[in-house]
Amino acid sequence: MTQQVSTALYMTPACAEALRAELQDLLYTQRPAMARTAQWAAGNGDRSENADYQYAKRALRRFDGRIRFLSKRLEQAQVIDPLQQAQRAQGRVLFGATVTVEEDGEERQFCIVGVDETDPARGLISYQAPLGRALLGKRVGDLVLVRTPGGERELEIIALEYGAIDSRPHPVAPAGAEAEDEAEDEAEDEAEDEDEVGAADAGTDTDVMAE
């Protein structure tokens, strides 16, 4: 039987809540305020040489781009509560799992989360990342081989649990400078590319979520 590859965009409740809050803030606070600034600045002389107007227009473009990105993200999102995953997992690693592994005698802990909330420094890894994909579906005691650009790694799963994960989406730099606009555009393009390319390697819905 052929398994259907998952194309859903999974995220934790904390991530979805943060994205919704950011979208509401942009729509009802930041963008209206900047639109008023742009309207005021437009009356202050030649727009081509008006620094205030140019600043406001760049900020509005950035806000509009971010609003489109967040709206699309939330439209595609499938929110998964790690606490509910515990009932489905039956001892397997699924999305939302907190996994303790041992590698070369050293223990490390990872939480498997969505692409918008990854933070390797805090042990938050994407289910589409090589390590996340390698861990999905495994159980305590399994040896996991992870292929990375730096070579192969072998880890042993020594503990598995499901609990609330305090994750947040990637921070966004303040609006204004063109360099910041370009940086965010690149980040959003990269995230969208990861969705499209990573979906082919992300595993099946059963691997990620369980039926």
Side-chain angles (χ1 to χ4, degrees):
M1 180 177 177
T2 302
Q3 290 182 315
Q4 184 176 1
V5 173
S6 171
T7 57
L9 179 64
Y10 297 103
M11 63 179 64
T12 65
C15 179
E17 181 181 352
L19 292 182
R20 283 192 291 265
E22 182 186 352
L23 179 59
Q24 293 296 305
D25 184 50
L26 286 170
L27 284 170
Y28 300 110
T29 303
Q30 293 194 53
R31 196 191 188 286
M34 191 57 68
R36 291 192 294 270
T37 299
Q39 185 176 16
W40 163 82
N44 292 341
D46 185 354
R47 295 183 180 183
S48 65
E49 298 181 0
N50 187 327
D52 290 331
Y53 179 76
Q54 295 300 323
Y55 173 92
K57 293 296 288 185
R58 287 198 302 270
L60 285 173
R61 285 197 299 270
R62 175 186 174 277
F63 288 155
D64 288 341
R66 186 66 177 172
I67 287 169
R68 289 193 299 271
F69 176 77
L70 291 171
S71 298
K72 180 180 177 181
R73 220 66 176 162
L74 289 168
E75 181 180 331
Q76 295 175 326
Q78 183 168 342
V79 180
I80 299 179
D81 188 341
L83 295 175
Q84 295 178 355
Q85 286 287 75
Q87 301 172 11
R88 306 184 181 103
Q90 299 181 343
R92 292 173 296 160
V93 177
L94 304 177
F95 180 96
T98 298
V99 187
T100 303
V101 302
E102 182 176 328
E103 180 180 14
D104 297 330
E106 181 180 352
E107 292 186 11
R108 296 188 64 186
Q109 193 173 75
F110 299 101
C111 298
I112 300 180
V113 297
V115 296
D116 294 287
E117 49 195 323
T118 58
D119 186 350
R122 295 175 55 207
L124 304 177
I125 60 170
S126 166
Y127 68 97
Q128 294 186 356
L131 178 56
R133 293 198 304 267
L135 290 172
L136 288 173
K138 300 300 191 298
R139 300 175 182 273
V140 172
D142 285 350
L143 294 177
V144 179
L145 186 65
V146 185
R147 293 180 175 85
T148 69
E152 292 187 344
R153 300 167 56 189
E154 186 177 76
L155 309 90
E156 180 182 0
I157 299 176
I158 60 175
L160 168 63
E161 60 182 329
Y162 289 89
I165 299 175
D166 182 16
S167 59
R168 293 292 185 271
H170 300 313
V172 180
E178 292 181 354
E180 292 170 345
D181 297 342
E182 294 173 358
E184 179 172 326
D185 289 342
E186 290 177 0
E188 291 175 358
D189 289 343
E190 181 179 344
E192 291 177 352
D193 290 343
E194 185 175 356
D195 292 343
E196 296 171 358
V197 176
D201 299 319
T204 63
D205 286 323
T206 302
D207 291 333
V208 177
M209 183 175 174
E211 297 177 348

